Amino acid sequence: MFEGLKPGFKLGARLSTWAACFLYVEEAVDDARNKRDFLSTVVASLTVSGVFSVKNGFNMTTAARTARSGLYTGLIFGLLQDATALARGRRLSYVEFLKSKVGGEK
């Protein structure tokens, strides 16, 4: 019954470390840019996927696939975060920019 406990804790520690790295990088990029939008999430996911690939010694093909997966995940997660923020009434700089260019608003 307890044979899976030790590997489970090891895997949980490893995954939570990568998740914490992602959150830290995303927050650092948000603070550096003074903006909170999907680009910070994309940069964080690409950064963490790159570090993950280097740490695990992936070849270029596998590293590129990991980066592509990180890009897609960052885009989807970041745009969902922005959609939630927009629904709550927060103004997003790129949405306001697009509105002013397309709609002619000031």
Side-chain angles (χ1 to χ4, degrees), residues 33-48:
R33 293 179 59 233
N34 288 325
K35 292 182 182 178
R36 293 189 178 274
D37 58 12
F38 77 97
L39 290 176
S40 300
T41 309
V42 171
V43 168
S45 65
L46 285 172
T47 302
V48 171

Side-chain angles (χ1 to χ4, degrees), residues 4-78:
L5 211 55
K6 187 175 179 181
F9 274 111
K10 282 184 177 181
L11 179 62
R14 204 171 340 150
L15 292 176
S16 64
T17 300
W18 286 112
C21 288
F22 170 78
L23 293 173
Y24 178 78
V25 171
E26 184 181 20
E27 187 64 26
V29 173
D30 282 339
D31 289 345
R33 293 179 59 233
N34 288 325
K35 292 182 182 178
R36 293 189 178 274
D37 58 12
F38 77 97
L39 290 176
S40 300
T41 309
V42 171
V43 168
S45 65
L46 285 172
T47 302
V48 171
S49 68
V51 171
F52 180 80
S53 295
V54 168
K55 184 179 181 315
N56 288 300
F58 291 164
N59 61 25
M60 283 303 255
T61 306
T62 306
R65 186 175 40 224
T66 304
R68 188 172 47 246
S69 177
L71 172 66
Y72 294 151
T73 303
L75 273 172
I76 291 167
F77 187 58

